Amino acid sequence: MAIRRVLILGGYGNFGKRIAENLSGTAGTVLLIAGRNADKAEALCRQLAARGSPATLEPAVLDINRATFVDDLRAFAPDLVIHTGGPFQGQDYRVPQACIAIGSHYIDLADDRRFVCDIDSLDDQARARDVLVVAGASSVPGLSSAVIDHFTDQFSALERIDFAIAPGNQAERGEATVHGILSYTGHPFPVFDDGEWRNQYGWMAPRKQDFGPTIGRRWLANINIPDLELFPERYRPVKTVHFQAGLELPVLHLGMVMMAWLAKVGLVRDWSAYTRPIVRASEWFIRSGTDTGGMQINLSGRDHSGQTRHINWLLCAENGEGPYIPTISTIILARKLIAGSLTTRGATPCLGLYSLAEFDQEIRSLAIHHRTEVTDG
């Protein structure tokens, strides 16, 4: 089916507005900026229209928690729904199921492990309606898997995946993202380590890692993401899949480590209940640090001659453009659906749906760049 009407849930939010800004340049498209706040939706439509957007822009008031949500969504007749309305931790599948029911494609930026990993439970329903349902079209597992896929043919056996994200402190942050992280801070989750599943604790095991001369050394700690479950299967016979992320300012990062310890020993049950005051407190430090962040993926294994090979892929985002990175996977897939070049159907995590070359094409006008180092022996 032709993709003409694209509805962005949370379209005026931290990530939604960046997706809207990008897709508003697509002529012949009707872009519906949707959310519960009509004023914010209308304001973004006016802002984009003032820039000479060739797309038709329409505000849409929509609440996914209303009992009439399916009918409300059907009334807007979208061909594609982009769901940016996190936090996805604890969300059910009402939005993708509603999209399937009305015959609309669906893409989200979910980072919740269960939400993304279990999306294939909707596969039969999506195929029956001839639609594509994609979860996790974001930095992980969307971009992370595109990078690893790009390098897998250099290994006869990929043995270890160790990757990390280090945002700049001045980068814009949303409550939904913070809520998601706080929900597992100090709580256990399984990781694949040396061929076995072992528990590790959210926002613990702090360490420093070098992200190159532009970013420098940054603190990291354990983060629970879908990749930790998806990659051991996708990249067999990999033995270890390890991921961490961190805050640029040591006082904030190590404060989170202390919060994790308090949750681990049972003094605090769930830090996500305090999301709003924690976000407000973090804003006191917003002028500290930098607006530069990055992502690093380290791959180790054996090349086709049996020798040890290590690949380090390092991405750097400057000028405060780091928050664009989680949106790029979704933008690429939306463009491919609109162009008719993405014919995959069913429900799936964002794996194998675009290439690193397509990512490079999308970031060409942004202050985002990456480099690769290969070490043998």
Side-chain angles (χ1 to χ4, degrees):
M1 68 180 181
I3 308 299
R4 182 171 177 271
R5 296 175 62 82
V6 179
L7 185 147
I8 306 177
L9 278 168
Y12 45 77
N14 188 31
F15 297 137
K17 66 185 178 184
R18 289 176 167 83
I19 296 170
E21 176 186 349
N22 188 291
L23 296 182
S24 67
T26 307
T29 300
V30 178
L31 200 60
L32 298 111
I33 309 300
R36 291 175 292 182
N37 191 311
D39 291 340
K40 290 183 178 180
E42 290 170 359
L44 182 58
C45 287
R46 287 195 300 270
Q47 177 184 333
L48 295 177
R51 298 179 184 176
S53 165
T56 301
L57 299 158
E58 297 180 3
V61 177
L62 199 57
D63 185 347
I64 68 173
N65 295 312
R66 279 174 56 92
T68 59
F69 172 64
V70 176
D71 291 334
D72 295 342
L73 183 64
R74 182 181 284 110
F76 290 109
D79 303 309
L80 166 63
V81 172
I82 297 173
H83 185 13
T84 73
F88 288 91
Q89 284 76 9
Q91 273 199 43
D92 58 22
Y93 288 138
R94 72 184 62 191
V95 178
Q97 286 175 323
C99 292
I100 293 170
I102 68 171
S104 168
H105 298 296
Y106 166 93
I107 304 170
D108 68 46
L109 283 73
D111 57 356
D112 179 62
R113 183 166 174 167
R114 290 275 49 85
F115 192 97
V116 175
C117 292
D118 296 340
I119 195 68
D120 57 4
S121 64
L122 304 180
D123 188 59
D124 289 343
Q125 298 174 45
R127 289 180 184 277
R129 294 304 305 270
D130 194 35
V131 297
L132 176 62
V133 171
V134 181
S138 191
S139 304
V140 293
L143 175 57
S144 55
S145 62
V147 173
I148 298 170
D149 288 350
H150 181 77
F151 293 113
T152 50
D153 63 356
Q154 296 194 32
F155 295 92
S156 62
L158 177 59
E159 297 173 350
R160 181 179 179 87
I161 300 170
D162 189 342
F163 59 122
I165 293 176
N169 184 66
Q170 294 180 15
E172 189 175 0
R173 65 203 75 176
E175 278 192 20
T177 300
V178 176
H179 183 281
I181 293 171
L182 291 173
S183 69
Y184 55 78
T185 294
H187 296 285
F189 53 84
V191 298
F192 197 62
D193 179 36
D194 197 22
E196 296 182 4
W197 288 99
R198 298 186 173 96
N199 276 343
Q200 65 181 19
Y201 288 81
W203 216 267
M204 300 196 78
R207 63 172 174 139
K208 273 191 170 182
Q209 184 160 313
D210 188 6
F211 280 78
T214 302
I215 300 174
R217 292 175 63 81
R218 294 282 181 88
W219 280 102
L220 300 173
N222 299 333
I223 301 291
N224 189 16
I225 60 170
D227 308 43
L228 295 173
E229 185 169 330
L230 297 171
F231 286 3
E233 177 64 29
R234 181 171 180 81
Y235 299 111
R236 285 176 178 269
V238 69
K239 297 177 181 177
T240 298
V241 178
H242 185 255
F243 177 79
Q244 291 188 310
L247 302 178
E248 180 181 9
L249 300 184
V251 64
L252 297 182
H253 183 91
L254 297 176
M256 284 288 295
V257 174
M258 177 58 67
M259 289 165 58
W261 180 82
L262 291 172
K264 182 181 178 183
V265 300
L267 294 178
V268 177
R269 182 177 180 182
D270 181 5
W271 280 110
S272 67
Y274 306 97
T275 297
R276 189 157 294 177
I278 288 173
V279 171
R280 284 201 298 264
S282 74
E283 296 298 331
W284 299 342
F285 301 87
I286 196 64
R287 296 186 183 278
S288 302
T290 70
D291 62 0
T292 302
M295 180 175 183
Q296 185 170 169
I297 298 180
N298 292 284
L299 307 175
S300 302
R302 300 285 176 176
D303 66 14
H304 293 284
S305 63
Q307 299 300 307
T308 300
R309 170 159 291 187
H310 176 78
I311 295 177
N312 171 261
W313 182 86
L314 180 63
L315 176 144
C316 180
E318 301 180 86
N319 300 338
E321 295 192 337
Y324 279 99
I325 296 172
T327 70
I328 292 173
S329 297
T330 287
I331 290 168
I332 292 171
L333 298 190
R335 288 189 181 281
K336 293 176 73 168
L337 281 169
I338 292 169
S341 60
L342 180 56
T343 58
T344 302
R345 298 295 182 262
T348 178
C350 188
L351 300 169
L353 296 176
Y354 74 89
S355 67
L356 185 58
E358 289 173 305
F359 174 81
D360 289 341
Q361 179 69 14
E362 197 59 49
I363 65 171
R364 66 193 185 283
S365 62
L366 298 171
I368 299 172
H369 50 90
H370 60 83
R371 62 177 174 82
T372 303
E373 293 181 356
V374 179
T375 305
D376 292 325

